[in-house]
Amino acid sequence: MPERAAIRVTVASGASDVTVDAAAETDVDVAVVGAGITGLALTHSLAERGVSCVTLEATDEAGGVINSTPLEDGLIAEHGPNRIRLTDGIAALVDAAGLRDDLIVADDDLPLYVYADGSLREVPFDLSTFVRTDLLPWHAKLRVLAEPLTGDVRPDESVGRAVRRSFGATAYRNLVEPIYGGTYGSDPDRMPVRRALPALLRMQEEHGCLLRPLLERAMGERETPPPVSIEGGLQRLPSALAARYADHVRRDTPATAIERDGERYVVSTSDGTITVDDVVLTVPAPVAADLLDGVAPASAAALDELRYNPLAVVTMYSDARREGFGYQVRRTESLRTLGVSWHHSLFGRTGQYTAFLGGMEDERIVAQNPADIGTVAADEFEAVMDAAAHVRDVWVGRRALPAYDESWAALDRLDLPDGLTLATNYTARVGVPGRVREAERVADQLA
């Protein structure tokens, strides 16, 4: 790989001033605020149900957190999600966008690793790996099998406490803390189960314990959709949806307020007003709080309390040729990297690796010079992979990841008037498939 390739640097100051766009005196059933994947999935679902809507976006690009940037040498910098699961909802959107032939489907049997005690150690997703992996010593494996005897997970206990009590301290330290905590950049001991991991409660209610469904998955009795990307980057999906629904999606027009008008709402913009029966906000909490301040001030104040974690995303080229999803880093290691995704083996992007740094416990890193962040990522990659890495792109988001910490208790104070709906990563599950499912649920309610 030649050294001539330039390094791109992008700094996102946090949740952008996502606003709405409208023509003067528009009158429709629904105003959808935000043309990220949730807003566009909702646009698609409403159109299928015959509900008139206008989808409103402040910026000149659709996608929200899905942000792909082509680089030199054929690399694709994914500043948001690096892959998505091909659920039925995602597949329907891909087909609606005309992108089925451009899907890149990864091998779901590729290994995932945790860097612990100076080595990459395989995460056990099946029984044979569970038996052979050195990520868990035998006493920890036996402790995992004792989970049905440990009592129910409680909604208000932390994810950290629930996992340690259910599966043991070693499984928590070597598996859940680096994988789950590292993914969100949060401390699982500060993440209440009912807000951060409600799936545990659903699994427990359905099966009476957590071990049984985990074993069913390990034995192949539960199929999971494969991880996918798209030729040219994931942002092609929202871009294509926005193009398909160009008569609904309006961009580059800031909103000023949402007001009541009898039983309806008026959304004011720099270009005029939109009168609607319902407003759906799909934007980050600070933006939603600004727009709700005039119609639901108590709920706006609650949204202002939600914390987001910072994240730095470093796209690199390397001659390393390992096969797998990538690795997460155990918190007790002396590295600042949270994890590294291996696009090389996942999606055939030759030599591409993406490192993630920051999070709740390393907020200061996003204040560093981007070139210095890239140096940290490359040096730590070389220490783990024993191969040099060359930085191609550095993106910094100061409020990039929902923290799902104790500040999420503020959501208990949400009390929105009829006709106002939040469809976001703070009201339902994060992740693109979760966003699409919520959009479908909201569309059903509005239809």
Side-chain angles (χ1 to χ4, degrees), residues 232-306:
L234 287 174
Q235 194 175 359
R236 286 191 61 206
L237 176 58
S239 295
L241 289 171
R244 171 172 175 172
Y245 294 105
D247 55 337
H248 296 277
V249 178
R250 303 177 182 176
R251 316 179 200 191
D252 281 329
T253 305
T256 55
I258 299 172
E259 299 174 315
R260 288 299 292 261
D261 181 13
E263 296 299 315
R264 307 191 79 197
Y265 290 92
V266 176
V267 180
S268 298
T269 79
S270 60
D271 278 357
T273 60
I274 309 172
T275 302
V276 296
D277 296 319
D278 292 273
V279 179
V280 183
L281 301 177
T282 71
V283 291
V287 181
D290 287 343
L291 291 174
L292 289 173
D293 193 48
V295 287
S299 294
L303 291 178
D304 267 334
E305 296 179 19
L306 302 186

Coordinates of all heavy atoms in Angstrom, one line a residue, residues 232-306:
G232 N -19.7 0.4 -1.6 CA -19.7 1.9 -1.5 C -20.0 2.5 -0.1 O -19.9 3.7 0.1
G233 N -20.5 1.6 0.8 CA -20.7 2.1 2.2 C -22.2 2.0 2.5 O -23.1 2.1 1.7
L234 N -22.5 1.9 3.8 CA -23.8 1.7 4.3 C -24.7 3.0 4.1 O -25.9 2.8 4.0 CB -23.8 1.4 5.8 CG -23.3 0.0 6.2 CD1 -23.2 0.0 7.8 CD2 -24.3 -1.0 5.7
Q235 N -24.1 4.1 3.9 CA -24.9 5.3 3.7 C -25.7 5.3 2.4 O -26.6 6.0 2.2 CB -24.1 6.6 3.8 CG -24.9 7.9 3.9 CD -24.1 9.1 4.1 OE1 -22.8 9.0 4.2 NE2 -24.7 10.2 4.2
R236 N -25.3 4.4 1.5 CA -26.0 4.3 0.2 C -27.5 3.9 0.5 O -28.4 4.2 -0.3 CB -25.4 3.2 -0.7 CG -24.1 3.8 -1.3 CD -23.6 2.8 -2.4 NE -24.6 2.7 -3.5 CZ -24.7 1.6 -4.2 NH1 -23.9 0.6 -4.0 NH2 -25.7 1.5 -5.2
L237 N -27.7 3.1 1.6 CA -29.1 2.7 1.9 C -30.0 3.9 2.2 O -31.0 4.1 1.5 CB -29.1 1.7 3.1 CG -30.5 1.3 3.6 CD1 -31.3 0.7 2.4 CD2 -30.4 0.3 4.7
P238 N -29.7 4.8 3.2 CA -30.5 6.0 3.4 C -30.5 6.9 2.2 O -31.6 7.5 1.9 CB -30.0 6.6 4.7 CG -28.6 6.1 4.8 CD -28.6 4.7 4.2
S239 N -29.4 7.0 1.5 CA -29.4 7.9 0.4 C -30.4 7.5 -0.7 O -31.1 8.3 -1.3 CB -28.0 8.0 -0.2 OG -27.1 8.6 0.7
A240 N -30.4 6.1 -0.9 CA -31.3 5.6 -2.0 C -32.7 5.7 -1.5 O -33.6 6.0 -2.4 CB -30.9 4.2 -2.3
L241 N -33.0 5.5 -0.2 CA -34.4 5.7 0.2 C -34.8 7.1 0.1 O -36.0 7.4 -0.3 CB -34.5 5.2 1.7 CG -34.4 3.7 1.9 CD1 -34.3 3.5 3.4 CD2 -35.6 3.0 1.4
A242 N -34.0 8.1 0.4 CA -34.3 9.5 0.3 C -34.6 9.8 -1.2 O -35.5 10.6 -1.5 CB -33.2 10.4 0.8
A243 N -33.8 9.2 -2.1 CA -34.1 9.5 -3.5 C -35.4 8.9 -3.9 O -36.1 9.5 -4.7 CB -32.9 8.9 -4.3
R244 N -35.7 7.7 -3.4 CA -37.0 7.1 -3.8 C -38.2 7.9 -3.3 O -39.2 8.1 -4.0 CB -37.1 5.7 -3.3 CG -38.5 5.1 -3.4 CD -38.6 3.6 -3.1 NE -40.0 3.2 -3.2 CZ -40.4 2.0 -3.1 NH1 -39.6 1.0 -2.9 NH2 -41.7 1.7 -3.2
Y245 N -38.0 8.5 -2.1 CA -39.1 9.3 -1.6 C -38.8 10.8 -1.6 O -39.1 11.5 -0.7 CB -39.4 8.8 -0.1 CG -39.9 7.4 -0.1 CD1 -39.1 6.4 0.3 CD2 -41.2 7.1 -0.5 CE1 -39.6 5.1 0.4 CE2 -41.7 5.8 -0.4 CZ -40.9 4.8 0.0 OH -41.4 3.5 0.0
A246 N -38.2 11.2 -2.7 CA -37.8 12.6 -2.9 C -39.0 13.6 -2.8 O -38.8 14.7 -2.4 CB -37.1 12.8 -4.2
D247 N -40.2 13.1 -3.1 CA -41.3 14.0 -3.0 C -41.8 14.2 -1.5 O -42.6 15.0 -1.3 CB -42.5 13.5 -3.8 CG -42.9 12.0 -3.5 OD1 -42.0 11.3 -3.0 OD2 -44.0 11.6 -3.8
H248 N -41.2 13.4 -0.6 CA -41.5 13.5 0.8 C -40.4 14.2 1.6 O -40.6 14.8 2.6 CB -41.8 12.1 1.4 CG -43.0 11.4 0.9 ND1 -44.2 11.6 1.3 CD2 -43.1 10.4 -0.1 CE1 -45.1 10.8 0.7 NE2 -44.4 10.1 -0.2
V249 N -39.1 13.9 1.2 CA -38.0 14.3 2.0 C -37.5 15.7 1.5 O -37.3 15.9 0.4 CB -36.8 13.3 1.8 CG1 -35.6 13.7 2.6 CG2 -37.3 11.9 2.2
R250 N -37.4 16.6 2.5 CA -37.0 17.9 2.2 C -35.8 18.3 3.1 O -35.8 17.9 4.3 CB -38.1 18.9 2.5 CG -39.3 18.6 1.7 CD -40.5 19.6 2.0 NE -41.7 19.2 1.3 CZ -42.8 19.8 1.4 NH1 -43.0 20.8 2.3 NH2 -43.9 19.5 0.7
R251 N -34.8 18.9 2.6 CA -33.5 19.1 3.3 C -33.2 20.6 3.3 O -33.8 21.4 2.7 CB -32.4 18.3 2.6 CG -32.8 16.9 2.1 CD -31.7 16.2 1.4 NE -32.1 15.1 0.6 CZ -31.4 14.2 0.1 NH1 -30.1 14.3 0.2 NH2 -31.9 13.2 -0.6
D252 N -32.2 20.9 4.2 CA -31.5 22.2 4.2 C -32.5 23.3 4.6 O -32.3 24.4 4.2 CB -30.9 22.6 2.8 CG -29.6 21.9 2.6 OD1 -28.9 21.6 3.6 OD2 -29.3 21.6 1.4
T253 N -33.4 23.0 5.5 CA -34.3 24.1 6.0 C -34.4 23.9 7.5 O -35.0 23.0 8.0 CB -35.7 24.0 5.4 OG1 -35.6 24.0 4.0 CG2 -36.6 25.1 5.8
P254 N -33.9 24.9 8.3 CA -34.0 24.8 9.8 C -35.3 25.0 10.3 O -36.1 25.8 9.8 CB -33.0 25.9 10.2 CG -33.0 26.9 9.1 CD -33.2 26.1 7.8
A255 N -35.7 24.3 11.4 CA -36.9 24.5 12.1 C -36.7 25.5 13.2 O -35.6 25.7 13.7 CB -37.4 23.2 12.7
T256 N -37.8 26.2 13.6 CA -37.7 27.1 14.7 C -38.6 26.7 15.9 O -38.2 27.0 17.0 CB -38.2 28.5 14.2 OG1 -39.5 28.4 13.7 CG2 -37.2 29.1 13.2
A257 N -39.7 26.0 15.7 CA -40.5 25.6 16.8 C -41.6 24.6 16.4 O -41.9 24.4 15.2 CB -41.2 26.9 17.4
I258 N -42.2 24.0 17.4 CA -43.4 23.2 17.2 C -44.5 23.8 18.1 O -44.2 24.0 19.3 CB -43.2 21.7 17.6 CG1 -42.1 21.1 16.7 CG2 -44.5 20.9 17.4 CD1 -41.7 19.7 17.1
E259 N -45.6 24.1 17.6 CA -46.7 24.7 18.4 C -48.0 24.0 18.2 O -48.2 23.4 17.2 CB -46.9 26.2 18.0 CG -45.6 27.0 18.2 CD -45.8 28.4 17.6 OE1 -46.3 28.6 16.5 OE2 -45.4 29.4 18.3
R260 N -48.9 24.1 19.2 CA -50.2 23.5 19.1 C -51.1 24.5 18.3 O -51.0 25.7 18.4 CB -50.8 23.3 20.5 CG -50.2 22.2 21.3 CD -50.4 20.8 20.6 NE -51.8 20.3 20.6 CZ -52.3 19.5 21.4 NH1 -51.6 19.0 22.4 NH2 -53.5 19.1 21.3
D261 N -52.0 23.9 17.5 CA -53.1 24.7 16.8 C -54.3 23.9 17.0 O -54.7 23.1 16.1 CB -52.7 24.9 15.4 CG -53.7 25.7 14.6 OD1 -54.6 26.3 15.3 OD2 -53.7 25.7 13.4
G262 N -55.0 24.0 18.1 CA -56.2 23.2 18.4 C -55.7 21.8 18.6 O -54.9 21.5 19.5
E263 N -56.3 20.8 17.8 CA -55.9 19.4 17.9 C -54.7 19.1 17.0 O -54.3 17.9 17.0 CB -57.1 18.6 17.5 CG -58.3 18.7 18.5 CD -58.0 18.3 19.9 OE1 -57.4 17.2 20.0 OE2 -58.3 19.0 20.8
R264 N -54.2 20.1 16.3 CA -53.1 19.8 15.3 C -51.9 20.5 15.8 O -51.8 21.2 16.8 CB -53.6 20.2 13.9 CG -54.9 19.6 13.5 CD -55.1 19.9 12.0 NE -54.4 18.9 11.2 CZ -54.1 19.1 9.9 NH1 -54.5 20.2 9.3 NH2 -53.5 18.2 9.2
Y265 N -50.8 20.3 15.0 CA -49.5 21.0 15.3 C -49.0 21.8 14.1 O -49.3 21.4 13.0 CB -48.5 19.9 15.7 CG -48.7 19.2 17.0 CD1 -49.5 18.1 17.0 CD2 -48.2 19.8 18.2 CE1 -49.7 17.5 18.3 CE2 -48.5 19.2 19.4 CZ -49.2 18.0 19.4 OH -49.5 17.4 20.6
V266 N -48.3 22.8 14.4 CA -47.7 23.7 13.4 C -46.2 23.6 13.6 O -45.7 24.0 14.7 CB -48.2 25.1 13.4 CG1 -47.5 26.0 12.4 CG2 -49.7 25.2 13.2
V267 N -45.5 23.2 12.6 CA -44.0 23.2 12.6 C -43.5 24.4 11.8 O -43.8 24.5 10.6 CB -43.5 21.9 12.0 CG1 -41.9 21.9 12.1 CG2 -44.0 20.6 12.8
S268 N -42.9 25.3 12.5 CA -42.4 26.5 11.8 C -41.0 26.2 11.3 O -40.1 25.6 12.0 CB -42.4 27.7 12.8 OG -43.7 27.9 13.2
T269 N -40.7 26.7 10.1 CA -39.4 26.6 9.5 C -39.0 28.0 8.9 O -39.8 28.9 8.8 CB -39.3 25.5 8.4 OG1 -39.9 26.0 7.2 CG2 -40.1 24.3 8.9
S270 N -37.8 28.1 8.4 CA -37.4 29.3 7.7 C -38.1 29.5 6.4 O -38.1 30.6 5.9 CB -35.9 29.3 7.5 OG -35.6 28.1 6.7
D271 N -38.7 28.4 5.9 CA -39.4 28.5 4.6 C -40.9 28.6 4.7 O -41.6 28.7 3.7 CB -39.1 27.3 3.7 CG -37.8 27.5 3.0 OD1 -37.1 28.6 3.2 OD2 -37.3 26.5 2.3
G272 N -41.4 28.6 6.0 CA -42.9 28.6 6.1 C -43.3 27.6 7.2 O -42.6 27.4 8.2
T273 N -44.5 27.1 7.1 CA -45.0 26.2 8.2 C -45.6 25.0 7.6 O -46.0 24.9 6.4 CB -46.1 26.9 9.0 OG1 -47.2 27.3 8.1 CG2 -45.6 28.2 9.7
I274 N -45.7 23.9 8.5 CA -46.3 22.7 8.1 C -47.4 22.4 9.2 O -47.1 22.5 10.4 CB -45.4 21.5 8.1 CG1 -44.1 21.8 7.3 CG2 -46.0 20.2 7.7 CD1 -43.1 20.7 7.4
T275 N -48.6 22.2 8.8 CA -49.7 21.8 9.7 C -50.0 20.3 9.6 O -50.2 19.8 8.5 CB -50.9 22.6 9.4 OG1 -50.6 24.0 9.5 CG2 -52.0 22.3 10.4
V276 N -49.9 19.6 10.7 CA -50.0 18.2 10.7 C -50.9 17.7 11.9 O -51.1 18.4 12.9 CB -48.6 17.5 10.8 CG1 -47.8 17.9 9.6 CG2 -47.9 18.0 12.1
D277 N -51.3 16.4 11.8 CA -52.0 15.8 12.9 C -50.9 15.2 13.9 O -51.2 15.2 15.1 CB -52.8 14.6 12.4 CG -54.0 15.1 11.5 OD1 -54.6 16.1 11.8 OD2 -54.2 14.5 10.5
D278 N -49.8 14.7 13.4 CA -48.8 14.1 14.2 C -47.4 14.6 13.8 O -47.1 14.8 12.7 CB -48.9 12.6 14.1 CG -50.2 12.0 14.7 OD1 -50.2 11.7 15.9 OD2 -51.1 11.8 13.9
V279 N -46.6 14.7 14.9 CA -45.2 15.0 14.6 C -44.4 13.8 15.3 O -44.6 13.5 16.4 CB -44.7 16.3 15.3 CG1 -43.2 16.5 15.1 CG2 -45.6 17.4 14.8
V280 N -43.4 13.2 14.5 CA -42.6 12.2 15.0 C -41.1 12.7 15.0 O -40.6 13.1 13.9 CB -42.7 10.9 14.2 CG1 -41.8 9.8 14.8 CG2 -44.1 10.4 14.1
L281 N -40.5 12.7 16.1 CA -39.1 13.2 16.2 C -38.2 12.0 16.2 O -38.3 11.2 17.1 CB -38.9 14.1 17.5 CG -39.8 15.3 17.6 CD1 -39.6 16.0 19.0 CD2 -39.6 16.3 16.5
T282 N -37.3 12.0 15.3 CA -36.3 10.9 15.2 C -34.9 11.4 15.4 O -33.9 10.7 15.0 CB -36.4 10.2 13.8 OG1 -35.9 11.0 12.8 CG2 -37.8 9.8 13.5
V283 N -34.7 12.5 16.1 CA -33.5 13.2 16.2 C -32.8 13.0 17.6 O -33.5 12.5 18.5 CB -33.7 14.7 15.9 CG1 -34.0 15.0 14.5 CG2 -34.8 15.3 16.9
P284 N -31.6 13.3 17.7 CA -30.9 13.2 19.0 C -31.6 14.0 20.1 O -32.3 15.0 19.9 CB -29.5 13.7 18.8 CG -29.3 13.5 17.3 CD -30.6 13.8 16.7
A285 N -31.4 13.5 21.4 CA -32.1 14.1 22.5 C -32.0 15.6 22.6 O -33.0 16.3 22.9 CB -31.7 13.4 23.8
P286 N -30.8 16.2 22.5 CA -30.7 17.6 22.6 C -31.5 18.4 21.6 O -32.1 19.5 21.9 CB -29.2 17.9 22.5 CG -28.5 16.6 22.8 CD -29.5 15.6 22.3
V287 N -31.6 17.9 20.4 CA -32.3 18.5 19.3 C -33.8 18.4 19.6 O -34.6 19.4 19.4 CB -32.0 17.9 18.0 CG1 -32.8 18.6 16.8 CG2 -30.5 18.0 17.7
A288 N -34.3 17.2 20.0 CA -35.7 17.0 20.3 C -36.1 17.9 21.5 O -37.2 18.5 21.5 CB -35.9 15.5 20.7
A289 N -35.2 18.1 22.5 CA -35.5 18.9 23.6 C -35.7 20.4 23.2 O -36.7 21.0 23.6 CB -34.4 18.9 24.6
D290 N -34.9 20.9 22.3 CA -35.1 22.2 21.8 C -36.5 22.4 21.1 O -37.2 23.4 21.3 CB -34.0 22.6 20.8 CG -32.7 22.8 21.5 OD1 -32.7 23.0 22.7 OD2 -31.6 22.8 20.8
L291 N -36.9 21.4 20.3 CA -38.1 21.5 19.5 C -39.3 21.3 20.4 O -40.4 21.8 20.1 CB -38.1 20.5 18.4 CG -37.1 20.7 17.3 CD1 -37.1 19.6 16.3 CD2 -37.5 22.0 16.5
L292 N -39.2 20.5 21.5 CA -40.3 20.3 22.4 C -40.5 21.3 23.5 O -41.5 21.3 24.2 CB -40.1 18.9 23.1 CG -40.2 17.7 22.2 CD1 -39.9 16.4 23.0 CD2 -41.7 17.5 21.7
D293 N -39.5 22.2 23.6 CA -39.6 23.2 24.7 C -40.9 24.0 24.8 O -41.4 24.3 25.9 CB -38.4 24.1 24.7 CG -38.2 24.9 26.0 OD1 -38.2 24.2 27.0 OD2 -38.0 26.1 25.9
G294 N -41.4 24.3 23.7 CA -42.6 25.1 23.7 C -43.9 24.4 23.9 O -44.9 25.0 24.3
V295 N -43.9 23.0 23.7 CA -45.2 22.3 23.8 C -45.1 21.2 24.9 O -46.2 20.8 25.4 CB -45.5 21.6 22.4 CG1 -46.0 22.6 21.4 CG2 -44.3 20.8 21.9
A296 N -43.9 20.9 25.3 CA -43.8 19.9 26.4 C -42.5 20.2 27.2 O -41.5 19.4 27.1 CB -43.7 18.5 25.8
P297 N -42.5 21.3 27.9 CA -41.3 21.7 28.6 C -40.7 20.7 29.6 O -39.5 20.6 29.7 CB -41.7 23.1 29.2 CG -43.2 23.0 29.3 CD -43.6 22.2 28.1
A298 N -41.5 20.0 30.3 CA -41.0 19.1 31.3 C -40.3 17.9 30.6 O -39.3 17.5 31.0 CB -42.2 18.6 32.2
S299 N -40.9 17.5 29.5 CA -40.3 16.4 28.8 C -39.0 16.9 28.1 O -38.0 16.1 28.0 CB -41.2 15.9 27.7 OG -42.3 15.2 28.3
A300 N -39.0 18.1 27.6 CA -37.7 18.7 27.1 C -36.6 18.7 28.1 O -35.5 18.4 27.8 CB -38.0 20.1 26.5
A301 N -37.0 19.1 29.3 CA -36.0 19.2 30.4 C -35.4 17.8 30.7 O -34.2 17.6 30.9 CB -36.6 19.8 31.6
A302 N -36.3 16.8 30.6 CA -35.8 15.4 30.9 C -34.8 14.9 29.8 O -33.8 14.4 30.1 CB -37.0 14.4 31.0
L303 N -35.2 15.2 28.6 CA -34.3 14.8 27.5 C -32.9 15.5 27.6 O -31.9 14.9 27.2 CB -34.9 15.1 26.1 CG -36.2 14.3 25.7 CD1 -36.7 14.8 24.4 CD2 -35.8 12.8 25.7
D304 N -32.9 16.7 28.1 CA -31.6 17.4 28.2 C -30.7 16.8 29.2 O -29.5 17.0 29.2 CB -31.9 18.9 28.7 CG -32.0 19.8 27.5 OD1 -31.4 19.5 26.4 OD2 -32.7 20.9 27.6
E305 N -31.2 15.9 30.0 CA -30.3 15.2 31.0 C -29.6 14.0 30.5 O -28.7 13.4 31.1 CB -31.2 14.8 32.3 CG -31.8 16.0 33.0 CD -32.6 15.6 34.2 OE1 -32.5 14.4 34.6 OE2 -33.4 16.4 34.7
L306 N -30.1 13.5 29.4 CA -29.5 12.2 28.8 C -28.0 12.4 28.4 O -27.7 13.4 27.7 CB -30.3 11.7 27.7 CG -31.8 11.4 27.9 CD1 -32.4 10.8 26.7 CD2 -32.0 10.5 29.1

